[in-house]
Amino acid sequence: MVGLLLAAMLLGGCQPLTQSTSGAPDSPHSDDLDSDVTAPDVLTLIYSRSPVTLNPHLATGFQDFEAARIIYEPLASYGPDGQLVPILAADLPSLENGDISEDRRSVTWRLQETLRWSDGEPLTAEDVVFTYKFIINKDVAAVTAQYYRDIKSIEAVDDHTVKIIFKQPTASWQTPFTGLNGLILPEHLFKDFNNRKAREAPANFQPVGTGPYRYLTQAQGRLLFAPNELYRYTLNSGFKRVEILGDVPPYVAARDVLRDGTADFAHNIQLESAALIDLVETGAAGNLLLTFGSQVERIMLNFADPNQETQAKERSSKDFPHPILRDFRVRQAIDYGIDRQAIARQLYGDLGQATSQLLVAPNPAGEQPIPFKHDVETAKALLDEAGWVDSDGDGVRDRNGKPLQLIFQTSIGTIRQATQAMVQQQLADIGINVLIERIRTDDFFSADPDQTNSINHFYADMQEYAIGNDIPDPTIYMSWWTCDNIAALENNWQKPNNARYCNSDYDYLWNIARSEIDPAARNELFRQMDRLLADDVAVLPIVHRSLANAVSNRITGYTFTPWDASTWDIANWQQATPVENAPDRAVKNSQIESTPSESDASTEDAETTE
């Protein structure tokens, strides 16, 4: 995959939207779904999973956010450089304009004054206030609630002004209502469902938003969208329909976009490097575009015993420490036993980089990256010291008659199963027997309290998935290893610390960082937290993973950012000028490009869980 990581900022011929001069219609739309829309006028997006809901605050995975982002918008979001970009806001708050208080205890947002929902209703500050009330309602159980816990109160000062007051001085004032987790909901459609019936709201499946496209219907397994005539800008995309198709295997998705030209966009192709080579080199219909952000493929180690139950029938409870992994020497041995470089090189190629850091973008480690080392002899010595020896010569270490055996689970996926196989062999080389479990993807990432195969129940010893901070400020992300965030029966397994890790020193650092105003001091605190987790072998980062989107040559205008959905700027996507003699829906001369984030330019170096 020669040239995969050549520095090339992905601007895709992006052109700014122009303010509409004709004014928005005064009535909702009318659609003739039977009218013909020919292939060139349809923008086709394909995903490995099908959207379950179009309410982003009830999302079950990245595919829900991606689809919802076409319809809903936040007050602001983050461009590729991590800087805030106003969207529904008229301007960004700042100390200079007085909208951020000197003590960092409040922030004021001012909305554009002509915003309208796609059903014709005006969007006002009350919709922002309602969105907050919906998110923090425990009966709703919103997946985005953690991003709003520092808010003390929120007020609609007038129709177009919102003031947020925080519980304490808050350096990350920009966290609420920005990016993927800040999408604003219409109060008039959700006010009767701000309760336990939240997931029954018709608007979860028939959404009304302010974005460039509006939802039409589901037909033949596809979600259909049409241009939103009430959008505040005039769209010049040339697309009369947007279609989303889910449950497409990664190889098929890559083939459809890169080679066959039967689709325009495929989200985050996660295939082994070797499997992509032929499609990349021979495809004539599109490019594979890489965005390195915060996503880190990691192996979580369970600090709780998955085989013991409390009286309430809770497994993997913090009340029962893991009988094997609570030993620091065993965790160290596993760390030394895993060959990150081999995994990154053989499975990811240029799509990933070996890492031992959790926090890779923006990278507060600066010139002090956390080192890692594959050392079989050191791993064996550590296990010997911990009392695990191969007493019967079968190749598996044992102690007190019990074998050193661990269950390793992850979701079904080509790279994940290949990683499991490599880790299984690498740990076998040091005398650990690893049993593989492969879990249906929707079950593995489920937020359903009754789904015991989920990552938050964690009824195994090791598990693998990818996640990262989904906004540049890592405060929320780094809180996932605090004692207060342990997933448990008492919180319906909704909190993110599924490893059940608890360290008072780590909590102390995080509590200081959350209110530290000085950026350099905050970065140093986050660096210390990342290093503490590495030193304690609390988690095993393996690969800094790129977002690998396949994009048709027939579209232009896109700009991917690691801090929002790939569809965040779909208003700018346009039909490219056709190339003479090119195949239908495609342009010749495929190549692979890389989109560096701000951190890529200065470091070696971010859903959303995948």
Side-chain angles (χ1 to χ4, degrees), residues 438-459:
R438 300 164 183 174
I439 299 175
R440 183 174 172 269
T441 300
D442 287 344
D443 294 342
F444 190 62
F445 294 115
S446 174
D448 184 350
D450 295 327
Q451 179 48 261
T452 58
N453 283 327
S454 73
I455 59 174
N456 275 9
H457 280 79
F458 198 178
Y459 292 169

Short mmCIF file of all heavy atoms in Angstrom, two decimals, residues 438-459:
data_model
loop_
_atom_site.label_atom_id
_atom_site.label_comp_id
_atom_site.label_asym_id
_atom_site.label_seq_id
_atom_site.Cartn_x
_atom_site.Cartn_y
_atom_site.Cartn_z
N ARG A 438 -16.06 -14.96 20.30
CA ARG A 438 -16.43 -13.97 19.29
C ARG A 438 -17.90 -13.66 19.46
O ARG A 438 -18.74 -14.55 19.42
CB ARG A 438 -16.14 -14.50 17.90
CG ARG A 438 -14.66 -14.84 17.71
CD ARG A 438 -14.40 -15.70 16.50
NE ARG A 438 -12.98 -16.04 16.40
CZ ARG A 438 -12.47 -16.88 15.52
NH1 ARG A 438 -13.27 -17.49 14.65
NH2 ARG A 438 -11.17 -17.12 15.50
N ILE A 439 -18.22 -12.39 19.62
CA ILE A 439 -19.58 -11.98 19.97
C ILE A 439 -20.18 -11.14 18.86
O ILE A 439 -19.51 -10.30 18.26
CB ILE A 439 -19.56 -11.18 21.29
CG1 ILE A 439 -19.02 -12.07 22.42
CG2 ILE A 439 -20.94 -10.67 21.65
CD1 ILE A 439 -18.86 -11.35 23.74
N ARG A 440 -21.45 -11.39 18.62
CA ARG A 440 -22.19 -10.62 17.62
C ARG A 440 -22.03 -9.13 17.92
O ARG A 440 -22.17 -8.69 19.06
CB ARG A 440 -23.66 -11.03 17.67
CG ARG A 440 -24.56 -10.38 16.65
CD ARG A 440 -25.95 -10.99 16.73
NE ARG A 440 -26.89 -10.27 15.89
CZ ARG A 440 -27.65 -9.25 16.32
NH1 ARG A 440 -27.54 -8.84 17.57
NH2 ARG A 440 -28.50 -8.66 15.51
N THR A 441 -21.72 -8.34 16.90
CA THR A 441 -21.36 -6.94 17.09
C THR A 441 -22.42 -6.16 17.84
O THR A 441 -22.12 -5.41 18.78
CB THR A 441 -21.09 -6.27 15.73
OG1 THR A 441 -20.00 -6.96 15.09
CG2 THR A 441 -20.72 -4.81 15.90
N ASP A 442 -23.70 -6.28 17.46
CA ASP A 442 -24.76 -5.53 18.11
C ASP A 442 -24.91 -5.91 19.58
O ASP A 442 -25.28 -5.07 20.41
CB ASP A 442 -26.09 -5.72 17.38
CG ASP A 442 -26.13 -4.99 16.05
OD1 ASP A 442 -25.28 -4.11 15.84
OD2 ASP A 442 -27.00 -5.29 15.22
N ASP A 443 -24.60 -7.15 19.92
CA ASP A 443 -24.66 -7.57 21.33
C ASP A 443 -23.46 -7.03 22.10
O ASP A 443 -23.60 -6.57 23.23
CB ASP A 443 -24.68 -9.11 21.42
CG ASP A 443 -25.94 -9.71 20.83
OD1 ASP A 443 -26.92 -8.97 20.66
OD2 ASP A 443 -25.93 -10.92 20.53
N PHE A 444 -22.30 -7.07 21.48
CA PHE A 444 -21.07 -6.65 22.14
C PHE A 444 -21.13 -5.17 22.52
O PHE A 444 -20.71 -4.77 23.61
CB PHE A 444 -19.88 -6.91 21.22
CG PHE A 444 -18.53 -6.74 21.86
CD1 PHE A 444 -18.14 -7.53 22.92
CD2 PHE A 444 -17.64 -5.78 21.39
CE1 PHE A 444 -16.87 -7.38 23.52
CE2 PHE A 444 -16.39 -5.63 21.96
CZ PHE A 444 -16.01 -6.44 23.04
N PHE A 445 -21.68 -4.34 21.62
CA PHE A 445 -21.74 -2.90 21.87
C PHE A 445 -23.11 -2.44 22.38
O PHE A 445 -23.41 -1.25 22.37
CB PHE A 445 -21.37 -2.13 20.60
CG PHE A 445 -19.94 -2.33 20.19
CD1 PHE A 445 -19.63 -2.98 19.00
CD2 PHE A 445 -18.90 -1.88 20.98
CE1 PHE A 445 -18.31 -3.18 18.63
CE2 PHE A 445 -17.58 -2.07 20.62
CZ PHE A 445 -17.29 -2.71 19.44
N SER A 446 -23.92 -3.36 22.82
CA SER A 446 -25.26 -3.03 23.27
C SER A 446 -25.24 -2.26 24.59
O SER A 446 -24.41 -2.51 25.47
CB SER A 446 -26.09 -4.31 23.45
OG SER A 446 -27.36 -4.01 24.01
N ALA A 447 -26.18 -1.32 24.72
CA ALA A 447 -26.37 -0.60 25.99
C ALA A 447 -27.53 -1.19 26.78
O ALA A 447 -27.88 -0.66 27.84
CB ALA A 447 -26.63 0.88 25.71
N ASP A 448 -28.10 -2.26 26.29
CA ASP A 448 -29.23 -2.92 26.96
C ASP A 448 -28.73 -3.58 28.25
O ASP A 448 -27.84 -4.43 28.22
CB ASP A 448 -29.82 -3.97 26.03
CG ASP A 448 -31.06 -4.64 26.61
OD1 ASP A 448 -31.36 -4.44 27.81
OD2 ASP A 448 -31.74 -5.38 25.87
N PRO A 449 -29.27 -3.19 29.41
CA PRO A 449 -28.84 -3.79 30.68
C PRO A 449 -29.00 -5.30 30.74
O PRO A 449 -28.31 -5.96 31.53
CB PRO A 449 -29.72 -3.10 31.73
CG PRO A 449 -30.15 -1.83 31.08
CD PRO A 449 -30.29 -2.15 29.62
N ASP A 450 -29.88 -5.85 29.92
CA ASP A 450 -30.12 -7.29 29.93
C ASP A 450 -29.19 -8.06 28.99
O ASP A 450 -29.23 -9.29 28.98
CB ASP A 450 -31.58 -7.58 29.56
CG ASP A 450 -32.56 -7.05 30.58
OD1 ASP A 450 -32.20 -7.03 31.78
OD2 ASP A 450 -33.66 -6.63 30.20
N GLN A 451 -28.40 -7.34 28.20
CA GLN A 451 -27.50 -8.00 27.26
C GLN A 451 -26.18 -8.30 27.95
O GLN A 451 -25.30 -7.45 28.07
CB GLN A 451 -27.28 -7.10 26.03
CG GLN A 451 -26.35 -7.69 24.98
CD GLN A 451 -26.65 -9.12 24.61
OE1 GLN A 451 -26.01 -10.06 25.10
NE2 GLN A 451 -27.64 -9.29 23.75
N THR A 452 -26.01 -9.52 28.41
CA THR A 452 -24.84 -9.88 29.21
C THR A 452 -23.58 -10.09 28.38
O THR A 452 -22.49 -10.27 28.94
CB THR A 452 -25.12 -11.14 30.03
OG1 THR A 452 -25.49 -12.21 29.15
CG2 THR A 452 -26.25 -10.90 31.03
N ASN A 453 -23.68 -10.05 27.06
CA ASN A 453 -22.50 -10.15 26.20
C ASN A 453 -21.87 -8.79 25.91
O ASN A 453 -20.92 -8.70 25.14
CB ASN A 453 -22.85 -10.83 24.87
CG ASN A 453 -22.99 -12.34 25.02
OD1 ASN A 453 -22.30 -12.95 25.84
ND2 ASN A 453 -23.88 -12.93 24.25
N SER A 454 -22.39 -7.75 26.52
CA SER A 454 -21.92 -6.40 26.22
C SER A 454 -20.58 -6.11 26.88
O SER A 454 -20.18 -6.76 27.85
CB SER A 454 -22.94 -5.36 26.68
OG SER A 454 -22.94 -5.25 28.09
N ILE A 455 -19.89 -5.09 26.36
CA ILE A 455 -18.59 -4.71 26.89
C ILE A 455 -18.69 -4.22 28.33
O ILE A 455 -17.73 -4.36 29.10
CB ILE A 455 -17.89 -3.64 26.02
CG1 ILE A 455 -18.74 -2.37 25.90
CG2 ILE A 455 -17.55 -4.19 24.65
CD1 ILE A 455 -18.04 -1.24 25.16
N ASN A 456 -19.81 -3.64 28.71
CA ASN A 456 -19.92 -3.13 30.07
C ASN A 456 -20.23 -4.22 31.09
O ASN A 456 -19.89 -4.07 32.26
CB ASN A 456 -20.95 -2.01 30.15
CG ASN A 456 -20.35 -0.66 29.77
OD1 ASN A 456 -19.22 -0.59 29.30
ND2 ASN A 456 -21.08 0.41 29.99
N HIS A 457 -20.87 -5.31 30.67
CA HIS A 457 -21.01 -6.44 31.58
C HIS A 457 -19.64 -7.12 31.74
O HIS A 457 -19.27 -7.49 32.83
CB HIS A 457 -22.04 -7.44 31.04
CG HIS A 457 -23.46 -7.04 31.30
ND1 HIS A 457 -24.11 -6.10 30.55
CD2 HIS A 457 -24.35 -7.46 32.24
CE1 HIS A 457 -25.35 -5.95 31.02
NE2 HIS A 457 -25.52 -6.76 32.04
N PHE A 458 -18.94 -7.31 30.63
CA PHE A 458 -17.57 -7.84 30.62
C PHE A 458 -17.47 -9.15 31.40
O PHE A 458 -16.73 -9.25 32.38
CB PHE A 458 -16.60 -6.79 31.18
CG PHE A 458 -15.15 -7.02 30.83
CD1 PHE A 458 -14.18 -6.11 31.25
CD2 PHE A 458 -14.72 -8.13 30.08
CE1 PHE A 458 -12.83 -6.30 30.95
CE2 PHE A 458 -13.39 -8.32 29.77
CZ PHE A 458 -12.43 -7.40 30.21
N TYR A 459 -18.16 -10.17 30.90
CA TYR A 459 -18.10 -11.48 31.53
C TYR A 459 -16.99 -12.32 30.90
O TYR A 459 -17.22 -13.43 30.42
CB TYR A 459 -19.45 -12.19 31.41
CG TYR A 459 -20.56 -11.56 32.22
CD1 TYR A 459 -21.89 -11.94 32.04
CD2 TYR A 459 -20.30 -10.59 33.19
CE1 TYR A 459 -22.90 -11.38 32.80
CE2 TYR A 459 -21.31 -10.02 33.94
CZ TYR A 459 -22.61 -10.42 33.74
OH TYR A 459 -23.62 -9.85 34.49
#
